[in-house]
Amino acid sequence: QRAEEISAATGFVISYRNNGLVWQTPYTGGALPEPARYRMRQVSPRTVVGFFRGNTLIRHSLSEGELSFIVPRSESAERGLRLWMLFVLTALSFILGVAYFLIRRTLKPLHRMKSAMEALHAGRLDYRIPQHGAVEFRELAEAFNTMTIRVRDMLQSKERLLLDVSHELRSPIARMKVALAMMPEDAQTRSLHEDLREMETMVTTILASARLQHTADTLKKTSVSLSGLVAEAIETLRDRAPGVRIAPSADMLIRLDKDKIRTVIQNIVENAIKYSNAESAPVTVSWEVDAAQVTLTVEDNGIGIPAGDLPRIFEPFFRVDDSRSRLSGGFGLGLSLARTIVEAHGGTIHASSAADGTRVSIVLPR
Ligand code: ATP
Ligand code: MG
C-alpha cells in the first residue's frame, strides 16, 4: 500500500521480487525497457543504479528478495530538453554567423592590401589604397601609399636621367661623326666609325622607346598580312646559322604599325640566333590566331636563360651574364624596345626558357 501511494505520488514504478515472485505497482506509460539494457553501476554494497535513454533503474537487495525503483523518462522533461537543445543550437549558429561576418569585416582591409600588392606587381604605380577602417590598417595603407609614391619617383628620375643623357649625347655624337668624316680613312677611323654607329643606335633606341611609352598614339597602324610581315622581318637574318624556319601557320590581315612590329620580330629572332650555336636546330617562328588575339612565338634551341633572370630580360640594359653576351654584341635594349612597342599596341610579351632553349611569345589583340 505504501509503495502504491509513493508510486501514485511520484510516477515511479516500484517492484519487489522474491523467490520467483514478482510484484509491481501499476504503470500506464507504455513499455519500459528490458532490465538488461540498463548500464548498471554499483553505488553501495547492496545498491546498483543504471540509466537507459532517460530512464533510471535503482536496485536494492534486501535480506530477502530485491526491491527496485524505475524512474521512467518524463515526456515533459524530454520536451524541455529538446527545446533547450534547439535554443542552444540556434544561439550557437547565430554566434558563429555573427563571428564570421565580424572576422570578414575585420579582414577586409587585408583584401584591399592584396589587390594593391597585385596592382603594384603589375606595374601600376599610381594605385592607392583607400584609407579607412581600423587605425592599424589606415597606417599600413598610408605607409604603402607613401612607399609606392617614392618608388614611382625613383623610377621616374632614373628614366629621366637616361633620357636626358641620351638626348644630350646626340650632338657630341653628331659632331664626332663630322670630325671623323674629315680624317683620312684607315683601320682606326673605321673602328671609331663602327663604335660611333653603335652609340648612335643605342641613343636612338632609348629615345624611340621613351617616345612610344609616353605617346602610344604615334603608332601608324595599317592592315598588314602577318606571314608577309614575318617573311620580311627575317629576310636579312635567314642565312645566319643555325637558320630560321617559319612553321606553317594560317595567314591573316591584322592592323598594326608595320615598321615597329617588324623591329620587334627582328629583335626577338636576332636574339634567338645570337644565343644559339651553329649546330643547334633552326629557330622556329610560328603563330596562332583566335577570335581575340594573335600569338606569335619564336623558339630556339640555344643556351637558354636562367629562371632567375627571366623576369628582368625586358628591362633596358639588362643582359644575362654580361661577359658571355659581350662577345655577341648588343646593349640589352632589344627586348626592352620590343616590350614597349608590343604594349603600345595593347599586347603583351613573355618569355620562357628551359635547358633545351627559349620561347618568346608576343600576344597582339586583333
Ligand atoms: P641588343 O638587343 O640591344 O642588341 P641584347 O640582345 O643583349 O642586346 P636583349 O635583346 O634585350 O639585349 O636581350 C636581353 C638579354 O636576354 C640578352 O643579353 C640575353 O642574355 C638574354 N636573351 C634574350 N633572348 C635570348 C635567347 N633567345 N636565348 C638566350 N638568352 C637570351
Ligand atoms: Mg637583342
Side-chain angles (χ1 to χ4, degrees):
Q1 252 179 341
R2 188 85 182 95
E4 271 171 359
E5 272 168 35
I6 294 173
S7 169
T10 59
F12 294 4
V13 183
I14 302 173
S15 58
Y16 176 67
R17 193 185 296 258
N18 188 13
N19 289 339
L21 170 110
V22 180
W23 175 87
Q24 178 180 314
T25 56
Y27 176 63
T28 50
L32 284 167
E34 293 284 310
R37 315 208 50 174
Y38 288 86
R39 274 191 304 282
M40 305 303 292
R41 197 155 48 90
Q42 196 90 31
V43 294
S44 79
R46 303 172 69 176
T47 314
V48 286
V49 176
F51 303 97
F52 179 70
R53 295 208 174 141
N55 304 287
T56 309
L57 169 65
I58 302 167
R59 262 202 202 123
H60 186 70
S61 326
L62 305 171
S63 47
E64 266 180 72
E66 181 198 72
L67 196 58
S68 60
F69 301 82
I70 297 175
V71 187
R73 104 176 130 189
S74 126
E75 282 302 318
S76 69
E78 206 182 342
R79 235 193 342 266
L81 189 71
R82 248 189 252 133
L83 271 178
W84 173 243
M85 265 163 59
L86 195 70
F87 170 75
V88 169
L89 273 181
T90 322
L92 209 65
S93 22
F94 177 73
I95 290 172
L96 278 178
V98 169
Y100 176 78
F101 279 108
L102 278 182
I103 290 175
R104 273 196 69 104
R105 227 185 62 182
T106 322
L107 290 184
K108 214 172 179 175
L110 279 188
H111 287 287
R112 289 207 297 270
M113 291 282 162
K114 186 167 161 267
S115 357
M117 304 285 171
E118 280 163 2
L120 196 64
H121 184 79
R124 285 162 54 202
L125 287 171
D126 50 352
Y127 193 94
R128 299 285 173 269
I129 305 179
Q131 292 182 30
H132 44 76
V135 177
E136 289 81 359
F137 284 118
R138 279 209 302 271
E139 283 172 1
L140 193 59
E142 196 186 336
F144 179 90
N145 292 345
T146 322
M147 179 192 76
T148 43
I149 293 174
R150 288 232 341 119
V151 170
R152 191 202 55 197
D153 289 351
M154 270 155 59
L155 286 178
Q156 273 176 358
S157 57
K158 183 180 139 192
E159 193 189 344
R160 194 69 261 160
L161 179 74
L162 185 64
L163 281 185
D164 287 349
V165 170
S166 312
H167 194 259
E168 293 308 309
L169 274 176
R170 280 194 318 179
S171 356
I173 291 177
R175 284 199 298 276
M176 277 152 86
K177 268 171 77 178
V178 174
L180 204 60
M182 313 255 188
M183 284 153 87
E185 202 181 310
D186 58 19
Q188 233 167 4
T189 49
R190 264 199 299 280
S191 128
L192 270 178
H193 208 91
E194 195 44 42
D195 287 346
L196 268 182
R197 206 188 50 76
E198 265 188 22
M199 276 171 82
E200 202 175 18
T201 317
M202 182 161 106
V203 165
T204 1
T205 315
I206 294 174
L207 291 176
S209 172
R211 197 170 311 127
L212 260 181
Q213 256 166 18
H214 296 289
T215 48
D217 50 20
T218 56
L219 292 178
K220 290 190 279 296
K221 287 193 185 175
T222 52
S223 227
V224 180
S225 140
L226 197 56
S227 61
L229 184 66
V230 172
E232 210 178 295
I234 65 168
E235 185 71 36
T236 50
L237 300 163
R238 192 181 270 286
D239 301 328
R240 279 171 53 184
V244 184
R245 188 179 79 84
I246 301 183
S249 315
D251 190 20
M252 63 161 307
L253 288 179
I254 174 171
R255 275 188 70 77
L256 37 74
D257 188 320
K258 191 175 168 198
D259 294 336
K260 299 223 160 68
I261 294 293
R262 193 198 310 113
T263 311
V264 171
I265 301 173
Q266 259 164 357
N267 285 356
I268 299 172
V269 174
E270 197 199 346
N271 283 349
I273 293 175
K274 205 154 70 167
Y275 303 109
S276 299
N277 308 311
E279 309 86 60
S280 311
V283 171
T284 311
V285 184
S286 60
W287 60 90
E288 261 170 40
V289 181
D290 69 28
Q293 60 195 31
V294 178
T295 310
L296 185 131
T297 307
V298 178
E299 238 172 314
D300 66 50
N301 292 87
I303 55 179
I305 304 169
D309 290 326
L310 266 181
R312 301 198 54 201
I313 58 171
F314 297 104
E315 289 174 16
F317 295 113
F318 180 82
R319 311 195 69 198
V320 177
D321 180 9
D322 227 1
S323 58
R324 93 172 183 199
S325 331
R326 178 121 304 146
L327 296 171
S328 44
F331 309 106
L333 285 175
L335 287 181
S336 132
L337 181 66
R339 182 172 70 175
T340 318
I341 295 177
V342 169
E343 285 178 356
H345 279 82
T348 54
I349 181 166
H350 24 85
S352 62
S353 189
D356 58 346
T358 306
R359 293 166 68 103
V360 180
S361 309
I362 60 176
V363 182
L364 294 170
R366 285 184 63 177

